[in-house]
Amino acid sequence: MKGAMQPRPFMMHGPGGPMAPPPQQFGLTETRPPLAAMLRPRFNIPGLNPSAAAANAAGKISSTYDLVEPMRFLYVHVVKARDLPAVSPTGSIDPFVEVKLGNFKGTTAVLAGHHSPSWHQVFAFSATHLQSHLLEVAVKAKDLAGGDDMVGRIGFDLSEVPVRVPPDSPLAPQWYRLDGKRGEKLHRGEIMLSVWLGTQADEAFPEAWHSDAHGAAGPSAVASTRAKVYFSPKLVYLRVAAIGAQDLVPHDTSRPMNASVKLQLAGQVRRTRPGGPPGTPNPMWNEEFMFVASEPFDEPLLVTVEDRVGPGRDEPLGRIMLPLNAAMPRHDHFGKPVEPRWYSLARPSDDGEKKEGKFASKIQLRMSLDFGYHVLDESTYYSSDLQPSSKHTRKPSIGILEVGVLGARNLIPMKAKDGRSTDAYCVAKYGPKWVRTRTIMNTLNPQWNEQYTWEVFDPCTVITVVVFDNSQIGSKNGDARDESIGKVRIRLSTLETDRVYTHFYPLLALKPSGLKKTGELHLAVRFTCTAWVNMMAMYGRPLLPKMHYSQPISVMQLDYLRHQAMQIVSARLSRAEPPLRREVVEYTLDVGSHMFSLRRSKANFYRITSLFCGFASMAKWYDGIRSWRNPITTMLVHMLFLILICYPELILPTIFLYMFMIGLWNYRFRSRHPPHMDTKLSQAEFTHPDELDEEFDTFPSNRPADIVRLRYDRLRSVGGRVQTVVGDLATQGERAHALLSWRDPRATAIFIFLSLVVAIVLYVTPFQVLLVITMLYLLRHPRFRSRMPSVPFNFYRRLPAKSDSLI
């Protein structure tokens, strides 16, 4: 908790050197920032004059920006100028505008040869960086010989600047006559602009030039620092079935034909097996493939029939290019089946301008665009969208998710070599909507205070927020990779409705050198439910659309399709302006999560073992009862068991009542914080450096042969232990099967004879009496027990298995 005494950090040392610090520094820190959603309507913020405080309070009440702290900005909207005087002997002028406030200075683009230029550019100066009470707007002319010529200027006293509070209409710009160098009014030259004080809720905020980015080099770098909203392309599964072909003509008739089909959609390539029967000009394939297509479906499907003439050598026999609108759209599994169609193949040697002949080879295809599926572009374990591609089958929204990206603290310096700290920005992804905050320049404690909203269609989804360092600042050609700082995931189903969660989330980076805390991200999160009945009903509905269950896709094919969808999304967003870079999209979607990692394998193993903790606790409790460690408890269990035997109709109500009481008791100990990245669960704190180096290795590996051999031997030893466990499980199952298989004739004879005796005893003895006898036998006093294994256990251990038949 904030303000509580924290233990002093220390370093533990092991055989390999210093180990990771204790996990206390990787926890959440709850905060109480002065947000409008958490405060009463009437409040004051220190440092503001009464009029600004009143305007700020009104803005908090009327604005939807109630999950962020208000940030005041001085906005300058430079619209245009007119009747500018010439400054060169030729009578021309290359004007631009320079806006200066203290040590911060912003300039517009230079418009060559314009006496009445138009810029329409907004400048935003943060009120926390105000170093002067005078705003100066100067119109200058570019001089190629060196220096800039002053055309005219105009000054504004900040105490006279009006305050604009949304949802007020934008401030109307006005014409101002320019002053000369000595303060006199010029006979020619006017500039149209507007100046006001506002907050980040202003509609001019996203596209404005910010003083925080004043060190950016070039207009392209400034564009990469602005806040933007992106949307993923609409993705649809394309199902193509290659059935057969007719009248294929080989290039060489002296050898049998070995035809196969190659299907290509953009960068996705799939091939069929050679058609049968071998050598026939009418082969049959009957193979089905799935591709990921994206709207507007401008990429055609290229179908090529090839003949295998040698190892690695294929000659095309014919091809056809099909537009995707030729595929039948399917919105659910109740529609009529897709009928196959015959298509004429064009010979590769045919002239494209030549008229099509009467004879042509044909191929039979069945194509459909399956809108009823949800195209997975992220892991199903932390997916943010589960809606089908078809708009007709989508469910209405059940609520709204609001996230306020407040700021970060204690970020690591990412540009220490360049004499700078960090140029940080955030990217949040939920559903098809991506948001990117503005870049805060050269600081380890950035303050964004930007709020974003998403529609929620399913509560069992996850929002992902990542922090990156903008490497485009100062980059000459713009090909520098943005470096990741950390990631935060929040599952909506773990949030209480209408509650504002404000926490510092730890940003963790797992590198080959080990786990490192790279800072803390300050978020305010609120999930508001607008349809309670629909939200509660969602827990009884399938997680994915119906077509995933009526016509399921294999796991291997689904992994392939997910990888292709990730590539399409990253390629499409990287072509936006400004681009959401590929490395940002891949890191957010966790592209490499399917690769092998010994650390993840151990984490999953310990997750499985932790599931049996409840059974182990029950076994320990039962052992305490049957051992009579607490005689009173054992007697009470005897009495409860006798009551349940006498009144068996109370068994199920008692079990469910017990679960209700346990859930009600655990309500006191419920988590008050949303879950976050767990370093202990991830086995990331004390991982060996070689395991991390293997995890971050490329595929295929580029490490030296001796290191690869060492890792292969380690993998063999781990596989040997897994093999032993699987073999033990198979042995137990085979022993159970051997009870009646007469593999051991004497054991099977004993078992079936005892089964006959037990059947007779159960027939003549009341069932309740048998239960009482069994209970008294199992819970007998330890002095009547033997330390030797029981007879049934000895009998089962002696049953044969197939282990002795293995080579």
Side-chain angles (χ1 to χ4, degrees):
M1 294 291 295
K2 189 175 181 180
M5 182 176 295
Q6 300 291 336
R8 187 178 63 180
F10 62 94
M11 294 293 292
M12 295 178 290
H13 294 267
M19 302 177 67
Q24 283 83 356
Q25 65 167 331
F26 301 135
L28 294 181
T29 303
E30 189 173 6
T31 61
R32 299 291 298 177
L35 306 182
M38 304 176 65
L39 300 176
R40 292 180 296 179
R42 294 187 178 182
F43 53 90
N44 292 319
I45 297 180
L48 293 181
N49 55 51
S51 60
N56 186 56
K60 281 181 175 288
I61 297 172
S62 61
S63 174
T64 58
Y65 283 69
D66 59 346
L67 292 183
V68 293
E69 299 182 43
M71 298 182 67
R72 298 178 61 212
F73 289 90
L74 175 66
Y75 290 98
V76 181
H77 183 196
V78 180
V79 183
K80 56 185 176 180
R82 66 184 179 187
D83 196 23
L84 296 179
V87 295
S88 64
T90 60
S92 63
I93 182 175
D94 300 335
F96 68 96
V97 177
E98 179 183 275
V99 182
K100 185 177 182 182
L101 182 64
N103 293 332
F104 295 98
K105 181 174 62 176
T107 59
T108 66
V110 178
L111 301 181
H114 282 268
H115 289 270
S116 298
S118 179
W119 292 283
H120 293 282
Q121 186 169 348
V122 180
F123 298 86
F125 298 89
S126 176
T128 58
H129 297 158
L130 296 184
Q131 301 173 346
S132 174
H133 294 284
L134 180 65
L135 172 69
E136 181 180 348
V137 180
V139 180
K140 296 184 177 183
K142 195 68 176 178
D143 188 358
L144 299 180
D148 299 322
D149 297 328
M150 172 69 73
V151 178
R153 59 175 294 277
I154 186 172
F156 294 89
D157 188 352
L158 297 189
S159 62
E160 303 295 332
V161 173
V163 177
R164 177 177 177 266
V165 181
D168 289 352
S169 299
L171 195 66
Q174 301 180 22
W175 286 103
Y176 295 91
R177 184 172 296 277
L178 297 176
D179 297 336
K181 297 181 180 180
R182 300 178 181 179
E184 75 282 4
K185 291 293 183 181
L186 299 180
H187 298 287
R188 296 181 58 188
E190 290 181 303
I191 183 171
M192 175 183 281
L193 53 84
S194 56
V195 183
W196 71 94
L197 284 172
T199 65
Q200 69 268 38
D202 202 296
E203 66 272 6
F205 176 79
E207 296 296 331
W209 179 96
H210 289 271
S211 59
D212 296 332
H214 67 279
S220 61
V222 173
S224 68
T225 65
R226 292 195 175 111
K228 288 292 181 180
V229 176
Y230 305 84
F231 280 89
S232 298
K234 183 179 179 181
L235 304 179
V236 182
Y237 285 143
L238 172 66
R239 190 187 299 266
V240 181
I243 301 175
Q246 285 185 352
D247 304 327
L248 296 180
V249 180
H251 293 280
D252 186 2
T253 58
S254 61
R255 57 172 183 76
M257 187 167 47
N258 196 11
S260 62
V261 179
K262 181 177 109 173
L263 304 170
Q264 182 174 358
L265 179 66
Q268 308 170 62
V269 180
R270 308 299 294 273
R271 297 176 184 271
T272 67
R273 295 185 294 269
T280 178
N282 304 316
M284 300 295 293
W285 296 286
N286 289 316
E287 292 189 43
E288 189 176 75
F289 302 96
M290 295 190 73
F291 301 86
V292 180
S294 62
E295 287 189 347
F297 304 134
D298 50 356
E299 293 284 350
L301 176 68
L302 180 61
V303 183
T304 307
V305 180
E306 298 178 334
D307 183 17
R308 176 60 59 90
V309 297
R313 291 181 55 204
D314 295 314
E315 290 185 354
L317 302 178
R319 64 167 55 98
I320 184 174
M321 191 173 294
L322 298 174
L324 295 190
N325 55 18
M328 176 180 175
R330 298 175 63 215
H331 297 276
D332 51 44
H333 61 286
F334 298 111
K336 62 180 182 180
V338 181
E339 297 294 335
R341 295 178 57 186
W342 289 96
Y343 299 93
S344 298
L345 296 173
R347 297 279 293 179
S349 58
D350 288 346
D351 188 0
E353 300 178 357
K354 192 174 182 180
K355 186 177 180 180
E356 183 180 359
K358 296 182 179 180
F359 175 80
S361 302
K362 295 183 178 296
I363 185 172
Q364 190 179 26
L365 301 174
R366 184 172 59 244
M367 298 174 54
S368 64
L369 284 170
D370 293 345
F371 288 87
Y373 290 99
H374 167 68
V375 180
L376 295 169
D377 59 351
E378 51 193 343
S379 176
T380 54
Y381 301 116
Y382 36 84
S383 179
S384 64
D385 183 21
L386 301 172
Q387 290 284 89
S389 302
S390 174
K391 295 182 179 179
H392 308 288
T393 56
R394 293 181 180 177
K395 304 296 182 183
S397 63
I398 62 170
I400 296 175
L401 173 65
E402 298 167 281
V403 176
V405 185
L406 302 178
R409 67 181 182 186
N410 302 329
L411 298 180
I412 61 173
M414 304 293 291
K415 297 184 174 71
K417 296 181 179 179
D418 301 333
R420 298 171 54 83
S421 55
T422 300
D423 305 324
Y425 67 93
C426 289
V427 173
K429 195 263 182 187
Y430 183 78
K433 181 179 177 180
W434 300 67
V435 299
R436 169 178 173 161
T437 67
R438 71 189 191 281
T439 301
I440 305 298
M441 307 287 293
N442 198 25
T443 178
L444 301 180
N445 300 285
Q447 297 296 318
W448 291 287
N449 284 298
E450 299 181 24
Q451 183 172 338
Y452 298 96
T453 305
W454 290 267
E455 278 191 301
V456 177
F457 297 89
D458 195 316
C460 302
T461 46
V462 177
I463 181 174
T464 303
V465 184
V466 299
V467 183
F468 268 80
D469 175 63
N470 195 334
S471 299
Q472 310 312 308
I473 310 301
S475 177
K476 296 181 180 180
N477 48 12
D479 58 352
R481 289 177 55 90
D482 290 353
E483 296 295 332
S484 61
I485 298 178
K487 179 188 301 184
V488 173
R489 292 196 194 101
I490 303 175
R491 182 170 292 274
L492 269 62
S493 59
T494 62
L495 304 178
E496 299 178 10
T497 56
D498 299 321
R499 178 187 170 187
V500 179
Y501 293 84
T502 54
H503 294 86
F504 271 107
Y505 293 82
L507 298 174
L508 307 176
L510 189 63
K511 302 293 183 181
S513 58
L515 180 66
K516 187 176 184 180
K517 183 176 180 180
T518 55
E520 292 178 294
L521 179 63
H522 197 191
L523 297 178
V525 183
R526 178 174 59 198
F527 171 47
T528 305
C529 179
T530 57
W532 270 94
V533 176
N534 293 341
M535 184 181 70
M536 302 306 291
M538 290 296 297
Y539 284 89
R541 295 175 183 169
L543 188 66
L544 295 172
K546 295 180 180 179
M547 284 195 70
H548 284 269
Y549 305 98
S550 61
Q551 296 183 9
I553 306 173
S554 64
V555 177
M556 293 186 61
Q557 193 172 20
L558 202 60
D559 288 339
Y560 171 80
L561 294 174
R562 178 165 54 240
H563 177 72
Q564 296 299 328
M566 290 178 179
Q567 297 300 320
I568 292 176
V569 171
S570 61
R572 183 70 65 88
L573 295 181
S574 63
R575 293 200 300 266
E577 187 59 39
L580 191 61
R581 300 185 61 83
R582 178 181 290 269
E583 59 269 18
V584 178
V585 177
E586 292 180 351
Y587 180 74
T588 307
L589 296 179
D590 211 355
V591 172
S593 60
H594 65 287
M595 300 298 294
F596 172 76
S597 168
L598 189 59
R599 176 189 59 83
R600 289 197 188 101
S601 301
K602 291 193 296 184
N604 291 331
F605 173 77
Y606 287 117
R607 287 173 59 195
I608 293 176
T609 56
S610 65
L611 296 178
F612 296 97
C613 292
F615 297 100
S617 300
M618 293 179 60
K620 185 178 180 181
W621 173 84
Y622 172 72
D623 183 70
I625 295 298
R626 67 192 294 267
S627 301
W628 290 72
R629 294 175 184 171
N630 190 337
I632 298 178
T633 305
T634 303
M635 294 300 298
L636 291 176
V637 171
H638 279 74
M639 294 176 59
L640 177 62
F641 200 83
L642 290 174
I643 293 173
L644 294 178
I645 290 175
C646 295
Y647 302 97
E649 65 274 7
L650 297 179
I651 294 178
L652 289 180
T654 302
I655 293 175
F656 285 100
L657 181 61
Y658 182 65
M659 288 191 292
F660 170 78
M661 296 302 297
I662 291 178
L664 203 61
W665 176 262
N666 290 339
Y667 181 78
R668 300 172 51 200
F669 310 103
R670 70 190 187 280
S671 176
R672 303 296 296 174
H673 311 297
H676 62 288
M677 300 292 183
D678 193 333
T679 58
K680 184 176 181 181
L681 179 66
S682 305
Q683 297 293 313
E685 295 183 37
F686 309 121
T687 306
H688 194 275
D690 184 64
E691 296 179 6
L692 293 176
D693 183 72
E694 180 183 14
E695 181 174 345
F696 289 96
D697 191 7
T698 59
F699 185 84
S701 177
N702 59 1
R703 298 296 188 266
D706 54 342
I707 296 180
V708 175
R709 186 182 300 109
L710 176 64
R711 293 173 180 172
Y712 174 69
D713 293 338
R714 181 177 61 196
L715 186 61
R716 289 179 61 189
S717 64
V718 174
R721 290 193 290 270
V722 175
Q723 171 184 290
T724 302
V725 174
V726 173
D728 291 340
L729 294 177
T731 298
Q732 305 306 323
E734 291 169 352
R735 284 174 177 169
H737 185 264
L739 289 172
L740 299 174
S741 64
W742 294 91
R743 184 178 176 87
D744 185 342
R746 287 169 292 277
T748 303
I750 293 173
F751 180 75
I752 63 174
F753 177 75
L754 291 177
S755 300
L756 178 62
V757 173
V758 171
I760 296 173
V761 172
L762 293 177
Y763 181 77
V764 301
T765 307
F767 184 69
Q768 294 177 340
V769 175
L770 292 174
L771 287 179
V772 171
I773 295 174
T774 303
M775 183 268 295
L776 294 176
Y777 175 78
L778 293 176
L779 300 180
R780 64 191 185 276
H781 198 273
R783 70 176 58 184
F784 301 110
R785 299 179 186 275
S786 174
R787 295 183 178 273
M788 303 303 294
S790 62
V791 174
F793 181 78
N794 294 332
F795 178 78
Y796 188 80
R797 287 293 301 271
R798 291 179 178 275
L799 291 173
K802 296 181 181 180
S803 302
D804 51 351
S805 299
L806 295 176
I807 299 177

